[in-house]
Amino acid sequence: MQITSSDILLVIDVQNDFCPGGALAVPDGDAVIPVIHRLAPLFDHILLTQDWHSPHHASFAHAHAGKQAFETVAVSYGEQTLWPDHCVQGTRGAEFHPDLSLPQAELVLRKGFRPHIDSYSAFFENDRTTPTGLGGYLRERNISRVFAVGLAFDYCVAYSALDARTLGFEAVVIRDASRAIDLNGSATRMEAELARAGVPVINSTQLLD
Ligand code: VGL
Ligand code: ZN
């Protein structure tokens, strides 16, 4: 697989709260960082996303009386998983992991900042219809293929790759540059959805060798 100037590396949510010790720690989450650092020099374009929630965000369990984290609730746009408070705007947990060093990144896209709607994908909020603007940004800059890495494989990474396909971009997920939360089989389920959508899940060695 040859990387060209119409490819972009989409680095999803490599933030303290998704790394060991964080509020919604993804097992081994910080292990993605060295892999991302090895991949970065291959790309002319890099974009970072940052989960960026208001303090009483509707995706937080504490905002729903009687509900615990990792339960689900019915909301206007369907079913929403409830999470521990994480990536609250302006907090240390919302900062990028201190080891992540990608000063060449062209854009930091914040998402999940609207109090009443969650946003896993970098392209659409969880109603799957409200755009973040990223599709237009990439199109205007002649990007045609997105390589998704970061946290978490089975939520923000997979949804971003699936929505990229929906918008007509090619999308690839780099498995070893990502780690999963794996809630109730979500990792296996998302692998199947990616396959169905025509999103290859590759290993970084396929690009680096
Ligand atoms: C994420 C759950 C809640 C993610 C963000 O980055 O995958 N997952 N917020
Ligand atoms: Zn979140």
Side-chain angles (χ1 to χ4, degrees), residues 83-127:
W83 304 104
D85 293 21
H86 65 278
C87 297
V88 175
Q89 297 162 2
T91 64
R92 198 187 152 272
E95 290 171 14
F96 292 114
H97 190 287
D99 293 349
L100 187 73
S101 177
L102 297 170
Q104 71 273 49
E106 297 172 2
L107 180 71
V108 176
L109 181 93
R110 288 173 169 170
K111 61 184 182 59
F113 49 78
R114 287 192 178 89
H116 298 294
I117 186 165
D118 206 3
S119 187
Y120 295 150
S121 161
F123 293 93
F124 293 103
E125 317 247 353
N126 279 13
D127 61 5

Side-chain angles (χ1 to χ4, degrees), residues 97-178:
H97 190 287
D99 293 349
L100 187 73
S101 177
L102 297 170
Q104 71 273 49
E106 297 172 2
L107 180 71
V108 176
L109 181 93
R110 288 173 169 170
K111 61 184 182 59
F113 49 78
R114 287 192 178 89
H116 298 294
I117 186 165
D118 206 3
S119 187
Y120 295 150
S121 161
F123 293 93
F124 293 103
E125 317 247 353
N126 279 13
D127 61 5
R128 308 305 292 279
T129 54
T130 305
T132 63
L134 180 58
Y137 175 87
L138 295 182
R139 216 167 269 134
E140 285 202 348
R141 307 206 47 239
N142 296 317
I143 302 293
S144 57
R145 188 168 56 172
V146 163
F147 286 78
V149 300
L151 304 170
F153 171 82
D154 43 348
Y155 286 93
C156 293
V157 173
Y159 279 103
S160 296
L162 291 170
D163 283 347
R165 288 292 296 146
T166 301
L167 289 174
F169 299 98
E170 295 292 313
V172 177
V173 172
I174 308 174
R175 190 71 183 82
D176 58 323
S178 186

Side-chain angles (χ1 to χ4, degrees), residues 45-118:
H45 306 286
I46 300 178
L47 186 155
L48 312 180
T49 70
Q50 192 172 25
D51 211 34
W52 196 251
H53 296 307
S54 51
H56 302 289
H57 194 260
S59 73
F60 293 169
H62 90 251
H64 302 263
K67 287 286 181 181
Q68 302 293 315
F70 309 111
E71 293 180 353
T72 56
V73 283
V75 294
S76 58
Y77 50 84
E79 198 173 75
Q80 170 70 48
T81 299
L82 298 177
W83 304 104
D85 293 21
H86 65 278
C87 297
V88 175
Q89 297 162 2
T91 64
R92 198 187 152 272
E95 290 171 14
F96 292 114
H97 190 287
D99 293 349
L100 187 73
S101 177
L102 297 170
Q104 71 273 49
E106 297 172 2
L107 180 71
V108 176
L109 181 93
R110 288 173 169 170
K111 61 184 182 59
F113 49 78
R114 287 192 178 89
H116 298 294
I117 186 165
D118 206 3

